[in-house]
Amino acid sequence: DAKTTQPNSMESNEEEPVHLPCNHSTISGTDYIHWYRQLPSQGPEYVIHGLTSNVNNRMASLAIAEDRKSSTLILHRATLRDAAVYYCILRDVLYGGSQGNLIFGKGTKLSVKP
Amino acid sequence: DGGITQSPKYLFRKEGQNVTLSCEQNLNHDAMYWYRQDPGQGLRLIYYSQIVNDFQKGDIAEGYSVSREKKESFPLTVTSAQKNPTAFYLCASKAGRLYSNQPQHFGDGTRLSIL
């Protein structure tokens, strides 16, 4: 699976939008972009995933660049509960291996200020 | 509510002792995984399983063992052969086949320490 690059940390104010960037310049045509987040002392939680088109769900939006070399996770109104480490992960569903495991990097630690 | 339950939340191991971490899911998922997370690091795959009575070694299986006697249960044993077991252990499951694009659901983890 291709590599992703994320900032180590970001800060946001409560109730403001947050844009979390992810660069994946070596993404292949069969790589899906997944986002998970991990709150302190908890297991990771699925947030959203997509292939080419922008995606929305109740938690967040995923904006994917036209060339797919980068993507942005958008939290529309940050709350204190959104303070977590956010992981951007590429998953090749055709050539990514039979295990289906996710390869987590170090992610972006998001702090939310009241 | 459906989900994955890991127990205990905290576990202490003495030298030379085997310990077993429990993972139970009521999501009716076929695929299950065990990961290890060290401080400030990503997750590393220990073992995975697609169906009952079948499981495969992941990237760091040495010193660990698993069983899959029931669909809903995938316990992990940390044996005395694992010389550096202190870590946060996470169990996950997902619907469908291992290679599918379904999201993984994680438990809240077990933190294992050495006495």
Side-chain angles (χ1 to χ4, degrees), chain B residues 13-19 63-64 77-85 114:
Chain B
R13 196 193 87 169
K14 296 179 183 177
E15 290 287 337
Q17 187 182 40
N18 294 351
V19 291
Y64 300 97
T77 296
V78 184
T79 75
S80 56
Q82 173 47 249
K83 298 306 178 189
N84 184 23
I114 295 293

Side-chain angles (χ1 to χ4, degrees), chain A residues 10-114:
Chain A
M10 289 184 65
E11 274 192 356
S12 171
N13 294 317
E14 198 176 10
E15 298 192 2
E16 289 186 357
V18 182
H19 290 233
L20 295 159
C22 181
N23 287 320
H24 28 77
S25 58
T26 59
I27 191 170
S28 75
T30 49
D31 276 325
Y32 275 76
I33 303 160
H34 290 249
W35 282 84
Y36 284 74
R37 70 180 186 182
Q38 187 173 20
L39 278 66
S41 298
Q42 293 188 24
E45 175 185 29
Y46 167 78
V47 178
I48 201 166
H49 75 281
L51 182 63
T52 55
S53 305
N54 295 344
V55 185
N56 299 297
N57 66 21
R58 64 174 179 81
M59 288 181 71
S61 295
L62 175 60
I64 302 173
E66 199 169 329
D67 64 4
R68 300 186 72 236
K69 292 183 187 291
S70 66
S71 59
T72 302
L73 179 71
I74 302 165
L75 307 179
H76 297 286
R77 286 184 69 213
T79 69
L80 296 178
R81 197 201 170 272
D82 292 322
V85 178
Y86 286 78
Y87 298 97
C88 170
I89 301 164
L90 300 185
R91 172 84 187 109
D92 188 335
V93 293
L94 284 185
Y95 306 109
S98 59
Q99 302 107 305
N101 60 301
L102 297 169
I103 300 174
F104 285 71
K106 295 190 178 181
T108 297
K109 184 174 182 179
L110 176 66
S111 302
V112 180
K113 295 185 288 185

Side-chain angles (χ1 to χ4, degrees), chain B residues 14-111:
Chain B
K14 296 179 183 177
E15 290 287 337
Q17 187 182 40
N18 294 351
V19 291
T20 297
L21 285 59
S22 170
C23 176
E24 302 278 332
Q25 54 101 356
N26 60 4
L27 298 165
N28 200 33
H29 287 171
D30 288 309
M32 295 189 74
Y33 301 84
W34 273 105
Y35 294 91
R36 168 181 171 141
Q37 186 174 33
D38 292 282
Q41 304 296 316
L43 278 63
R44 291 185 289 167
L45 181 65
I46 306 173
Y47 267 97
Y48 59 100
S49 168
Q50 175 65 80
I51 56 173
V52 172
N53 294 322
D54 182 65
F55 45 83
Q56 305 296 329
K57 292 182 180 180
D59 301 320
I60 56 165
E62 187 174 348
Y64 300 97
S65 66
V66 293
S67 63
R68 186 91 188 268
E69 296 177 3
K70 298 185 295 183
K71 183 176 183 178
E72 58 269 25
S73 179
F74 191 38
L76 173 75
T77 296
V78 184
T79 75
S80 56
Q82 173 47 249
K83 298 306 178 189
N84 184 23
T86 297
F88 191 44
Y89 290 87
L90 289 157
C91 179
S93 73
K94 73 175 180 182
R97 307 296 295 174
L98 287 169
Y99 52 77
S100 79
N101 205 34
Q102 295 293 321
Q104 289 193 18
H105 298 253
F106 286 82
D108 279 339
T110 292
R111 196 167 296 280

